Amino acid sequence: MKIIKFIVVVFFLTFNVNANELPKIDTKYYLGIYKSFDKFSAIALSTYTDHFDTPYYTETDAEKRNLGYFLGYNFYLNNFFIGAETNFQENIGKDQSIAGLNGSVTYEKMKEAKLKIGYNFDDFDFFIYLGGGDIDTTWTAYHNDPSKINNYYTRGLGIDYYFNENFFLGLNLDETTFDIFYTESLYLEEVHKRSLRLRFGYLF
């Protein structure tokens, strides 16, 4: 009988130790809205042999402060987490006047998907991410050119602050570079995009 009691006690203590050593797992879905400040700058060179030395430069100068929406999921293992997030933004920016060229360029309808990795410290989530996206473009002088930028890569870092169990505020910096080839004007444009986003989200 004493042996049985001894085994039961040892089993109970071992179970408690192992239970204490198990990692804490948590999952969170969230959605929200963000206010974005976006800046595009670009340099373009003609691929037409007679115009190799005539580049043009462009930079968004209007409609740079916009609203966007996001939806995501985080999987926590103790304080570390991985996650996935997607976002959509109707307007991004516009260059109203391109020096030496006709018309204006508008960037719009941005869709992105990202993978995140981060660390939770008290009420803060710190993270970095890598993803891809699509953007529609419109150049008023060249309507027949491709109007979509497909599968560009984006990267960034951010911080979210949970001020209660259901709501958080966040800030992230986002950067990417991609190329646009205009088949009608025969220009290849290298675009550098930088975004600063203030986020407000809800956990459910």
Side-chain angles (χ1 to χ4, degrees):
M1 192 68 178
K2 291 182 179 180
I3 294 176
I4 295 176
K5 289 182 178 179
F6 177 77
I7 293 174
V8 171
V9 171
V10 170
F11 176 80
F12 179 77
L13 292 175
T14 303
F15 178 82
N16 280 341
V17 170
N18 290 335
N20 290 332
E21 291 177 352
L22 291 176
K24 180 183 178 183
I25 295 175
D26 194 11
T27 60
K28 293 179 181 178
Y29 291 90
Y30 59 91
L31 56 80
I33 189 170
Y34 64 81
K35 179 72 172 180
S36 183
F37 177 83
D38 302 291
K39 184 177 181 180
F40 282 70
S41 57
I43 180 173
L45 288 170
S46 175
T47 59
Y48 185 59
T49 54
D50 290 344
H51 298 88
F52 276 138
D53 297 324
T54 56
Y56 70 80
Y57 304 89
T58 179
E59 185 171 290
T60 49
D61 54 11
E63 302 177 16
K64 296 187 291 185
R65 295 175 175 84
N66 304 285
L67 293 178
Y69 308 91
F70 61 89
L71 173 68
Y73 167 82
N74 287 338
F75 176 84
Y76 293 84
L77 192 63
N78 288 336
N79 294 100
F80 292 95
F81 68 90
I82 58 174
E85 183 176 307
T86 182
N87 64 273
F88 173 78
Q89 188 174 324
E90 181 70 25
N91 297 311
I92 309 167
K94 181 176 182 179
D95 188 340
Q96 300 182 103
S97 177
I98 305 174
L101 296 173
N102 297 322
S104 61
V105 174
T106 302
Y107 303 94
E108 57 188 356
K109 294 182 175 64
M110 177 177 64
K111 294 174 287 185
E112 295 179 332
K114 308 159 189 174
L115 292 176
K116 302 163 51 182
I117 183 170
Y119 184 82
N120 171 261
F121 180 76
D122 289 337
D123 296 324
F124 293 89
D125 278 353
F126 302 90
F127 59 89
I128 59 174
Y129 60 82
L130 179 67
D134 301 324
I135 293 177
D136 288 343
T137 63
T138 302
W139 189 349
T140 55
Y142 299 96
H143 285 293
N144 295 327
D145 273 330
S147 60
K148 197 172 189 67
I149 305 160
N150 293 307
N151 302 320
Y152 66 85
Y153 291 100
T154 187
R155 59 191 180 275
L157 54 88
I159 179 173
D160 290 333
Y161 168 65
Y162 298 87
F163 55 89
N164 64 29
E165 292 183 358
N166 296 107
F167 294 96
F168 67 89
L169 289 173
L171 184 69
N172 70 279
L173 302 172
D174 189 273
E175 182 181 39
T176 187
T177 301
F178 51 82
D179 293 330
I180 307 174
F181 178 61
Y182 295 100
T183 57
E184 185 174 333
S185 60
L186 298 179
Y187 271 90
L188 179 63
E189 186 175 270
E190 182 181 87
V191 182
H192 185 203
K193 169 185 169 292
R194 288 149 288 174
S195 299
L196 175 67
R197 297 171 182 166
L198 178 63
R199 297 149 48 96
F200 176 74
Y202 174 77
L203 301 169
F204 59 95

